[in-house]
Amino acid sequence: CIKATLQSNHTLRYLNDKRIIPDGYPFNVEEEFQKQINFATKINRNHDPNPDAAGREKVIQTQLQSVRRSELADLQGVDHSVFSEIDALQLPEVLALVGRSHGQGELYVALKSVVMGLFSSVNMIECIQQERDFHAAKVEELDAKLATMKEAAVAVRNQVDMVFQSNKRRCQT
């Protein structure tokens, strides 16, 4: 959603055309579509001639604000967290932006939606580290067994060589 918002048209200044509403939507949805279009084109007008600033503002006002994000998601039939698209290392900056732009209430809503994902990624790191340590210990164990087997093979080969040399000497005498 964030990437799509940033890549959308930020130069369009006005649009009022009922033909853009897909068939099968109820009439009140047409009004909601137009309301969202008006909101986006107003941001474009306010940030003309800087489309990058318009894109950033749209992300802040639509994707990082829970009520508007929910309205847009319902309108588009989308049901996933926008925060799942954000790299965990960039999340603190995004959360700070939410707090600065929309206040502590929105920050709380955002934190609620990301906290389990953050914990699961932290736990995943620990889980992978434990698995890596397990396999490293297993490699050490297998290396020790392999070394023992090589030593035994050398000892057997030496005994076979001694027996062969002994038999060879007997045959020569």
Side-chain angles (χ1 to χ4, degrees), residues 81-93:
S81 171
V82 70
F83 296 105
S84 65
E85 299 176 23
I86 300 171
D87 185 308
L89 295 175
Q90 296 171 334
L91 205 49
E93 288 181 44

Side-chain angles (χ1 to χ4, degrees), residues 3-58:
K3 188 175 182 179
T5 301
L6 286 172
Q7 293 176 345
S8 67
N9 184 323
H10 305 301
T11 58
L12 188 64
R13 297 172 61 82
Y14 297 97
L15 180 63
N16 190 357
D17 188 351
K18 299 291 185 195
R19 294 176 294 172
I20 63 169
I21 310 302
D23 291 335
Y25 276 92
F27 180 74
N28 61 339
V29 172
E30 289 180 10
E31 292 173 10
E32 186 59 31
F33 267 108
Q34 192 60 53
K35 175 181 148 193
Q36 298 300 338
I37 290 168
N38 293 343
F39 182 77
T41 54
K42 180 179 179 186
I43 290 174
N44 290 348
R45 289 189 305 274
N46 290 343
H47 289 85
D48 189 34
N50 189 343
D52 290 339
R56 275 192 304 278
E57 185 65 20
K58 284 180 197 172

Side-chain angles (χ1 to χ4, degrees), residues 114-170:
V114 300
V115 72
M116 290 313 294
L118 289 175
F119 283 132
S120 69
S121 66
V122 169
N123 290 342
M124 183 59 78
I125 290 169
E126 185 177 324
C127 180
I128 289 171
Q129 184 62 46
Q130 286 176 353
E131 187 175 355
R132 191 170 165 254
D133 292 345
F134 169 79
H135 289 293
K138 196 70 168 164
V139 166
E140 286 180 25
E141 180 184 324
L142 292 173
D143 284 346
K145 283 182 181 180
L146 189 58
T148 302
M149 291 171 74
K150 285 180 179 179
E151 288 174 12
V154 167
V156 168
R157 187 173 300 129
N158 288 340
Q159 284 181 341
V160 168
D161 285 346
M162 285 176 33
V163 169
F164 180 73
Q165 292 297 330
S166 174
N167 284 341
K168 189 175 179 183
R169 274 187 242 130
R170 274 191 221 157

